Amino acid sequence: MSMPSLPGDGTREAARRWLVHLRVAGVSRVRTLFTHHPRYADLTPVQYAEGLEWLRRTGLVSPSGRPAVNVGEGLPLDDADVPHVLWNAEDDERRSATGTAGERCLLALLRQAGLASVEHVSAVSDAFGYDIAATMPPDEHLHLEVKATTDPTRLVVHLSRHESDVMSADPRWIMGAVLVGRDGAALSVATVSRSWLLSVIPQDRSQRGTWESVRLDVPPEALEPGLIMEDGKSVLPGGSCATHGVWGMAAREAVSG
């Protein structure tokens, strides 16, 4: 059976807007907003319809119009003269909670997969440069950096300089992305390409200036559904938590261990 086509960029943006506004209003009211408010005229009614249909098909919005994820608040409709605040304590707390939930999700999935050893090392110290240390049979070690989000339409991650340095030196390091649902469960898991990460991290131009953290907008082609090691081996059984279309991903076959 053929897989449904992937949503395009416009459809994914429409889906993101649905997720934001369905938190406070029903489908009919939100559709009216998208149809009549000039702020949303950059997308077509067809894209909004496709975005909602994709969310319903993937279970990210229930038949009654309830979102399964919480992508956070959008800007107010009359904010043309209001500066866009890039940080506040509430957002920071929410991101921290999402990150913790993502780590717990992957810890649970790895343990359910029967790995010999699974340790939450970032709970002890950030010095490791990754969040989870695990051992796959017969004696293959995995160092997993976890990035979590509640947004199924796009994947944005922040990478610290220390995490980048560890990645560059440690061939066992991989980055796993987790879509966290309202209930704290993992709705989708993907691996971010190591080669892509290495190709986009900044380079210091002078000893007088060094970067410490970078924000990365991960494209669909840099994602592999599931947790995949460098040799193509799948860490999780089957297609565990790999939802077609999340972050623009297509389904791919992974080599099982």
Side-chain angles (χ1 to χ4, degrees), residues 4-73:
S5 60
L6 289 171
D9 291 345
T11 300
R12 292 205 308 276
E13 173 58 22
R16 188 191 68 82
R17 294 177 186 180
W18 277 109
L19 290 170
V20 169
H21 290 287
L22 284 175
R23 296 177 61 210
V24 294
V27 170
S28 61
R29 290 185 62 188
V30 176
R31 183 181 288 114
T32 299
L33 174 70
F34 291 159
T35 303
H36 297 290
H37 198 287
R39 170 186 288 275
Y40 302 101
D42 57 325
L43 299 180
T44 68
V46 170
Q47 287 173 312
Y48 285 117
E50 289 176 344
L52 180 59
E53 194 277 332
W54 174 71
L55 290 170
R56 283 174 163 164
R57 187 174 67 243
T58 55
L60 295 170
V61 165
S62 71
S64 64
R66 178 178 172 81
V69 292
N70 180 0
V71 299
E73 297 287 351

Side-chain angles (χ1 to χ4, degrees), residues 201-214:
I201 55 176
Q203 300 296 320
D204 294 336
R205 296 186 178 184
S206 166
Q207 293 182 346
R208 295 180 180 274
T210 60
W211 69 274
E212 292 299 325
S213 179
V214 62

Side-chain angles (χ1 to χ4, degrees), residues 96-182:
S96 178
T98 299
T100 299
E103 292 172 17
R104 289 174 177 168
C105 287
L106 281 190
L107 285 165
L109 288 172
L110 291 169
R111 287 165 178 157
Q112 290 169 14
L115 272 66
S117 172
V118 180
E119 298 180 62
H120 192 188
V121 297
S122 63
V124 178
S125 172
D126 289 331
F128 290 92
Y130 51 87
D131 297 302
I132 298 172
T135 304
M136 296 178 62
D139 190 28
E140 195 166 9
H141 297 282
L142 170 69
H143 297 156
L144 180 61
E145 172 62 24
V146 182
K147 301 299 182 183
T149 181
T150 58
D151 188 343
T153 65
R154 58 186 178 182
L155 179 61
V156 176
V157 302
H158 292 81
L159 186 72
S160 73
R161 179 61 177 263
H162 180 55
E163 291 164 352
S164 173
D165 289 344
V166 172
M167 171 182 64
S168 299
D170 182 359
R172 298 166 295 185
W173 189 101
I174 68 171
M175 179 184 287
V178 185
L179 176 64
V180 179
R182 278 180 175 268

Side-chain angles (χ1 to χ4, degrees), residues 73 114 144 188 191 193:
E73 297 287 351
L144 180 61
S188 195
T191 302
S193 165

Side-chain angles (χ1 to χ4, degrees), residues 136-137 140 191 224-240 251-257:
M136 296 178 62
E140 195 166 9
T191 302
E224 187 83 12
L227 280 183
I228 312 298
M229 300 184 71
E230 279 296 294
D231 59 3
K233 185 182 297 182
S234 178
V235 178
L236 300 175
S240 296
R252 296 182 179 91
E253 292 294 329
V255 179
S256 59

Side-chain angles (χ1 to χ4, degrees), residues 77-95:
L77 296 179
D78 56 350
D79 69 336
D81 299 321
V82 179
H84 187 174
V85 178
L86 298 179
W87 179 91
N88 62 56
E90 183 179 347
D91 284 347
D92 194 51
E93 183 177 339
R94 177 173 54 82
R95 281 191 292 267

